[in-house]
Amino acid sequence: MLAMGKRDGFATKNFDGYAGTITIHDAGPDAESVGILGHLDVVPAGDGWTRPAYDLTQEKGWLFGRGVLDDKGPLLAAYYAMKILHDQNVKLNKTVYLIAGTDEESGMEGIDYYLKNGGPIPAMGFTPMRISRSFTAKRETSICFSKAMRPRLFLP
């Protein structure tokens, strides 16, 4: 994903494979910042799985793939939203950091490494992700971030 950001003209930073940032700096160095947080990894292969670890399989009209309902698709959609703003030369009044972690499913050391190595801490943020059909428009939700960049949904 960082290679895409670099290709598309964004500032990027690799935190030694633990995390990476893709940044829009239009607002200047003292601007308030927004973080778009997610992860790109999947649960490691191992014993006990009912389908092949890294193959998309079809069964009785359903598609099964490891990690397909997690952050990866929505994080990519957020990236392309940033790209559209960038390509259309829309100037923002906040710095935007897309922060992609790589070990949320296997230890969650990435955020500690990111912070210990100078990763920017946004003033506010969100995680774009697919929310289960059980969370409908009839309910108001708010998202709270834990240290590990894993969102927790709280319902009133």
Side-chain angles (χ1 to χ4, degrees):
M1 186 168 230
L2 293 179
M4 290 170 48
K6 191 171 193 173
R7 174 200 69 199
D8 294 335
F10 291 104
T12 63
K13 184 165 183 183
N14 182 346
F15 290 83
D16 297 324
Y18 285 95
T21 56
I22 298 171
T23 308
I24 295 177
H25 285 294
D26 295 341
D30 297 325
E32 196 170 46
S33 58
V34 175
I36 305 170
L37 300 97
H39 69 95
L40 300 171
D41 61 319
V42 296
V43 175
D47 297 329
W49 294 92
T50 59
R51 291 173 185 84
Y54 302 110
D55 295 337
L56 183 65
T57 58
Q58 182 177 356
E59 189 177 300
K60 297 181 183 177
W62 292 88
L63 293 173
F64 295 89
R66 187 175 300 217
V68 298
L69 293 180
D70 209 341
D71 292 10
K72 287 154 277 307
L75 195 61
L76 189 60
Y79 171 78
Y80 276 105
M82 290 174 62
K83 182 178 181 329
I84 289 167
L85 293 171
H86 178 74
D87 290 351
Q88 295 298 313
N89 204 28
V90 174
K91 298 298 180 199
L92 303 175
N93 64 0
K94 297 196 179 347
T95 297
V96 179
Y97 297 104
L98 187 142
I99 304 168
T102 60
D103 76 335
E104 191 266 355
E105 301 288 3
S106 58
M108 298 199 295
E109 296 172 1
I111 191 62
D112 287 334
Y113 190 89
Y114 170 83
L115 294 171
K116 287 176 185 171
N117 288 277
I121 302 171
M124 62 193 86
F126 68 95
T127 297
M129 62 185 300
R130 179 192 176 276
I131 297 179
S132 161
R133 279 185 269 177
S134 65
F135 296 104
T136 67
K138 297 176 188 173
R139 295 176 149 178
E140 292 182 33
T141 62
S142 60
I143 296 177
C144 174
F145 295 100
S146 71
K147 179 180 172 192
M149 294 196 305
R150 186 184 208 70
R152 295 187 180 160
L153 219 45
F154 293 94
L155 301 174

